[in-house]
């Protein structure tokens, strides 16, 4: 069992930056692919970014490519999402998730992820 706790959300003006963190419990964190998803009011949960167990492979949604960076520190059991050049359309609850299945390709489907955090609100004002 893995428990995930997100932090770092808040209110920021358009063009600003935020860094989200996701702290994980459990000794097997370093073997999981970790992902970030987001859900805006009235919309479905969507993929944002993911990183494989070693940090050597990352994948981003087109909407955030070039603005967001996912990284991880396995020694600290933590995954990060650095968000720059934020836009009002980035406003959502951001969720951290863990995929315990070893896959050839990183999954962008929320159903592939086994463990989820409670979410952290990110609000970008125009």
């Amino acid at each position: 069992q893995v428990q995930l706790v997100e932090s770092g959300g808040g209110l920021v003006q358009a063009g600003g930056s935020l860094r989200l963190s996701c702290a994980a419990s459990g000794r097997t964190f370093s073997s999981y692919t970790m992902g970030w998803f987001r859900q805006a009011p009235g919309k479905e949960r969507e993929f944002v970014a993911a990183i494989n167990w070693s940090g050597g492979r990352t994948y981003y949604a087109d909407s955030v490519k070039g603005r967001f960076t996912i990284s991880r520190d396995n020694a600290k059991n933590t995954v990060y999402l650095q968000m720059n050049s934020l836009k009002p359309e980035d406003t959502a609850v951001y969720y951290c998730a863990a995929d315990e299945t070893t896959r050839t390709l990183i999954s962008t489907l929320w159903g592939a992820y086994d463990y989820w955090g409670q979410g952290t609100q990110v609000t970008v004002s125009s």
Side-chain angles (χ1 to χ4, degrees), residues 1-7 21-25 29 33-39 45 79 93-99 110 113-121:
Q1 190 75 10
V2 174
Q3 290 187 326
L4 305 173
V5 179
E6 302 98 332
S7 61
S21 298
C22 173
S25 66
F29 170 82
T33 290
M34 298 299 296
W36 287 97
F37 290 76
R38 66 187 181 186
Q39 189 166 19
R45 189 169 299 190
V79 62
V93 177
Y94 283 71
Y95 297 91
C96 170
D99 179 3
W110 67 264
Y113 289 76
D114 304 287
Y115 305 104
W116 292 83
Q118 82 288 349
T120 186
Q121 176 70 47

Side-chain angles (χ1 to χ4, degrees), residues 4 23 27-28 43-45 47 49-50 52 54-56 63 66 70 72 79 82 94 99 111-112 120 123 126:
L4 305 173
R27 295 175 293 176
T28 54
K43 295 188 176 181
E44 293 189 353
R45 189 169 299 190
F47 172 80
N52 78 326
S54 68
S63 58
I70 188 171
R72 67 190 296 162
V79 62
Q82 178 66 44
Y94 283 71
D99 179 3
T120 186
T123 303
S126 57

